[in-house]
């Protein structure tokens, strides 16, 4: 039987505020346990929550970024469940009336095609604390620093059909919230994480299969691996005559497997009701205007501009706009190379990003400044060095952090462009290989590459490739 996968993602983006959603407690990451939870976060008697206006502003920016319906009236509700890291016994969230309604994002897939993924809703809520299970001698510790941290939960329609599609969508949302500067997107610190709802059904069937929820996955690679494992597991269960249990499962990256955590609750299990301590949230036209005026150039807008302004293809433009910092780096390089955009794009998407990935670095921590990479691109463009020699300069730039011109001078890497010097070297190589010259002139034109290789070896790669090819062809054909 052929199976079809159905995936929907619930993404939790921690909003980039200095204080919590309903209190003035700080949200700084890495503080000592239980030093950033105040009486409001703990739900102590006699305290009342007060909504942080910045979280509303950030949610509106996201809604505008996904062309969504903005609900002018939304309501906070209590989501009741009992867990050690939830001190109040309920979580303040939004249920029937969220702040952001239906919207969409266009996602570029691996084959270059685009797919529109619809977003059901995005609602505000507070985070819970964190249970710690290590270093407590078979006990658990509770850190309530995260309790009350503002989250925007972004819920997609079940329109994703593979793990790769899910990751592409997740990366698109990740780029958007960083462009909007409403979330730092740090997955290692838990600022951006997702739950994946996964089910399978016979291909062609319209009814959805029973889904499982994969909880709190915090890296793109683990999202893909967890979903693929769960797809294979569900298919194996169904093909052996079993049934899928609706449940929440945890992914273990060390074993690359999912395991049951708890049975999956339905909405009625949480006994939602409007929070009596919080008034309905009313969005005015003035608030929307303020959010609209603060909107930056969005990723898809920047990609279209890069293609039109710099002549880039969709693939390269898509890579360069994947983060706001990378896009800024690229445009700085282009500005300082007198518009050599395609050459700059090639070096950034291949050599630079390759080196960053190998060293597990972000563009913000890149050892090579945009100005130095621009100078490297200029030296290739003015034929001071060849593209091949430029890789040697790039490596020295990365490791030694010197100036491009100083590296070229110190290592003697300047390209030979003197026609007489090139012709003299060609004559020497031809004189040393008369049989190969005769074979070429007899019709073995593939030997041209052989001569190019010899000449580049003799010159340590310093000959200008275009001049070399032109001169060599003339002399071999003479």
């Amino acid at each position: 039987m052929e199976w079809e996968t159905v995936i929907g993602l619930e993404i939790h983006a921690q909003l980039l505020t200095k204080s919590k959603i309903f209190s003035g407690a700080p949200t700084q990451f890495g503080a000592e346990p239980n030093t950033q939870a105040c009486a409001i976060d703990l739900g102590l008697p006699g305290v009342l929550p007060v909504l942080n206006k910045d979280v509303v502003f950030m949610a509106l920016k996201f809604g505008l970024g996904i062309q969504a319906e903005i609900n002018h009236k939304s309501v906070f509700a209590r989501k009741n469940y009992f867990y050690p890291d939830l001190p109040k016994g309920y979580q303040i969230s939004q249920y029937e009336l969220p702040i952001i309604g239906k919207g969409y994002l266009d996602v570029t897939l691996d084959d270059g095609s685009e797919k529109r993924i619809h977003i059901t809703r995005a609602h505000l809520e507070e985070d819970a604390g964190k249970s710690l299970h290590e270093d407590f001698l078979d006990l658990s510790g509770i850190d309530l620093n995260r309790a009350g941290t503002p989250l925007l939960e972004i819920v997609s329609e079940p329109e994703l059909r593979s793990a790769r599609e899910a990751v592409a969508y997740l990366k698109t949302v990740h780029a958007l919230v960083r462009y909007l500067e409403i979330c730092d997107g740090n997955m290692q610190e838990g600022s951006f994480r997702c739950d994946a709802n996964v089910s399978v059904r016979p291909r062609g069937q319209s009814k959805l299969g029973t889904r499982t929820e994969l909880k709190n996955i915090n890296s793109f690679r683990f999202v893909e691996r967890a979903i693929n494992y769960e797809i294979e597991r569900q298919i194996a269960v169904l093909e052996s005559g079993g049934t899928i249990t609706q449940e929440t499962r945890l992914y273990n990256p060390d074993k690359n497997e999912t395991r049951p955590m708890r049975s999956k609750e339905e909405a009625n299990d949480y006994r939602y009701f409007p929070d009596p301590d919080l008034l309905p949230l009313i969005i005015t036209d003035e608030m929307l205007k303020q959010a609209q005026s603060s909107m930056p150039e969005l990723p898809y807008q920047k990609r279209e501009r890069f293609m039109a302004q710099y002549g880039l293809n969709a693939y390269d433009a898509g890579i360069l706009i994947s983060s706001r910092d990378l896009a800024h780096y690229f445009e700085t390089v282009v500005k300082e190379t007198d518009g050599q955009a395609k050459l700059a794009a090639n070096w950034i998407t291949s050599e630079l990003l390759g080196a960053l990935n190998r060293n597990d670095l972000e563009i913000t921590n890149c050892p090579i400044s945009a100005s130095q990479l621009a100078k490297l691109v200029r030296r290739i463009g003015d034929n001071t060095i060849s593209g091949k020699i430029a890789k040697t300069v790039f490596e020295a730039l990365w490791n030694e952090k010197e100036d491009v011109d100083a590296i070229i001078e110190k290592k003697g890497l300047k390209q030979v462009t003197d026609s007489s010097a090139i012709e003299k070297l060609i004559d020497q190589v031809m004189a040393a290989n008369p049989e190969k010259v005769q074979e070429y002139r007899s019709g073995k034109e593939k030997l041209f590459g052989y001569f190019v290789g010899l000449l580049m070896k003799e010159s340590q790669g310093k000959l200008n490739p275009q001049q070399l090819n032109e001169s060599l062809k003339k002399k071999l054909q003479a």
Side-chain angles (χ1 to χ4, degrees):
M1 181 181 292
E2 281 195 45
W3 297 94
E4 180 181 50
T5 303
V6 179
I7 303 165
L9 295 188
E10 297 170 9
I11 297 170
H12 293 85
Q14 179 180 326
L15 297 176
L16 208 52
T17 58
K18 292 181 179 178
S19 59
K20 296 186 178 179
I21 185 169
F22 300 117
S23 81
T27 57
Q28 184 180 352
F29 179 81
E32 285 295 312
N34 299 308
T35 59
Q36 297 190 159
C38 69
I40 294 174
D41 307 319
L42 302 179
L44 297 182
V47 297
L48 292 172
V50 178
L51 180 60
N52 183 337
K53 66 178 182 180
D54 287 344
V55 305
V56 177
F57 183 69
M58 291 179 182
L60 292 179
K61 287 178 71 173
F62 181 79
L64 293 170
I66 61 168
Q67 337 300 321
E69 302 167 4
I70 308 291
N71 291 321
H72 284 260
K73 178 182 178 181
S74 62
V75 174
F76 285 99
R78 291 187 180 181
K79 180 180 181 181
N80 296 275
Y81 65 95
F82 298 94
Y83 211 67
D85 56 18
L86 193 70
K88 298 193 296 284
Y90 62 84
Q91 175 190 30
I92 301 177
S93 182
Q94 292 186 310
Y95 179 49
E96 292 182 326
L97 291 172
I99 185 170
I100 305 299
K102 294 182 182 301
Y104 65 85
L105 276 176
D106 291 324
V107 177
T108 303
L109 304 180
D110 289 344
D111 61 2
S113 64
E114 282 201 346
K115 181 172 181 177
R116 178 162 292 183
I117 304 300
H118 292 88
I119 293 172
T120 312
R121 56 188 278 146
H123 62 263
L124 292 167
E125 65 181 20
E126 62 178 348
D127 204 352
K130 186 176 182 181
S131 297
L132 307 171
H133 305 295
E134 298 176 2
D135 303 325
F136 287 99
L137 299 175
D138 298 325
L139 301 175
S140 291
I142 303 296
D143 179 8
L144 295 174
N145 279 351
R146 288 193 68 90
T149 299
L151 300 178
L152 185 67
E153 181 172 340
I154 304 154
V155 183
S156 80
E157 291 286 330
E159 297 176 338
L160 301 160
R161 293 293 176 264
S162 71
R164 294 295 297 164
E165 280 190 14
V167 170
Y169 166 73
L170 189 61
K171 287 182 175 179
T172 304
V173 176
H174 186 260
L176 177 60
V177 296
R178 294 183 71 186
Y179 265 77
L180 294 171
E181 296 182 317
I182 64 173
C183 173
D184 64 18
N186 192 318
M187 301 181 82
Q188 288 74 28
E189 294 179 1
S191 301
F192 188 87
R193 56 193 193 269
C194 87
D195 303 338
N197 292 296
V198 182
S199 65
V200 297
R201 63 185 177 187
R203 190 170 296 280
Q205 176 180 297
S206 58
K207 183 182 177 182
L208 294 174
T210 302
R211 65 186 169 91
T212 58
E213 178 187 48
L214 305 178
K215 195 76 174 170
N216 280 344
I217 314 173
N218 64 351
S219 86
F220 298 125
R221 185 164 60 96
F222 290 165
V223 167
E224 184 173 1
R225 290 173 60 187
I227 291 174
N228 279 331
Y229 175 87
E230 186 60 17
I231 291 168
E232 292 176 8
R233 186 192 72 83
Q234 290 189 20
I235 291 173
V237 169
L238 293 171
E239 290 187 344
S240 65
T243 57
I244 303 300
T245 302
Q246 183 168 313
E247 61 188 357
T248 298
R249 298 178 70 88
L250 291 178
Y251 174 66
N252 184 328
D254 296 327
K255 296 181 178 180
N256 189 32
E257 65 179 21
T258 65
R259 61 176 176 80
M261 177 185 176
R262 60 173 181 257
S263 60
K264 176 62 181 164
E265 299 88 348
E266 298 289 356
N268 60 303
D269 294 321
Y270 291 118
R271 305 186 316 283
Y272 282 98
F273 64 88
D275 192 305
D277 293 334
L278 288 160
L279 292 170
L281 173 59
I282 305 299
I283 304 300
T284 64
D285 291 339
E286 185 59 35
M287 292 166 71
L288 278 173
K289 278 184 188 175
Q290 186 183 356
Q292 184 71 63
S293 66
S294 71
M295 293 292 284
E297 183 180 35
L298 297 177
Y300 75 90
Q301 295 168 333
K302 197 178 288 289
R303 185 184 64 179
E304 290 172 3
R305 179 170 67 81
F306 278 15
M307 292 169 67
Q309 183 175 341
Y310 300 124
L312 302 182
N313 59 40
Y315 179 78
D316 285 344
I319 292 175
L320 292 169
I321 61 93
S322 60
S323 85
R324 196 171 180 175
D325 293 320
L326 180 60
H328 176 71
Y329 186 101
F330 165 71
E331 292 209 271
T332 303
V333 173
V334 173
K335 185 178 179 181
E336 296 187 22
T337 56
D338 301 321
Q340 296 185 65
K342 289 187 178 179
L343 187 56
N346 288 342
W347 272 86
I348 292 172
T349 57
S350 56
E351 297 300 320
L352 187 71
L353 289 183
L356 289 171
N357 288 335
R358 286 192 298 275
N359 291 275
D360 197 25
L361 291 174
E362 296 288 335
I363 189 68
T364 48
N365 305 117
C366 182
I368 301 177
S369 70
S371 293
Q372 284 299 317
L373 189 70
K375 188 177 282 190
L376 178 64
V377 170
R378 288 204 306 274
R379 293 298 168 262
I380 300 169
D382 64 17
N383 290 324
T384 300
I385 56 174
S386 66
K388 185 175 182 180
I389 290 176
K391 293 185 178 183
T392 303
V393 179
F394 179 89
E395 189 175 340
L397 263 181
W398 183 276
N399 294 317
E400 300 168 22
K401 302 176 181 61
E402 290 189 50
D403 178 76
V404 167
D405 289 336
I407 293 169
I408 293 171
E409 192 67 33
K410 184 172 76 173
K411 295 182 180 290
L413 299 173
K414 194 170 287 188
Q415 188 168 236
V416 178
T417 57
D418 183 344
S419 298
S420 60
I422 293 173
E423 290 180 7
K424 182 179 179 181
L425 188 59
I426 291 173
D427 289 339
Q428 290 173 3
V429 168
M430 288 176 63
N433 296 274
E435 293 179 1
K436 296 292 183 183
V437 172
Q438 190 56 44
E439 286 180 38
Y440 176 88
R441 290 172 173 169
S442 300
K444 291 187 72 173
E445 294 186 359
K446 289 183 179 179
L447 285 171
F448 187 83
Y450 169 79
F451 284 106
V452 169
L454 284 179
L455 287 159
M456 281 299 186
K457 185 177 180 182
E458 286 290 324
S459 67
Q460 296 180 317
K462 295 178 186 177
L463 298 183
N464 179 281
Q466 187 176 351
Q467 288 179 272
L468 168 61
N469 287 345
E470 290 173 359
S471 297
L472 178 61
K473 191 167 285 187
K474 284 179 183 177
K475 286 187 171 289
L476 285 173
Q477 292 174 350

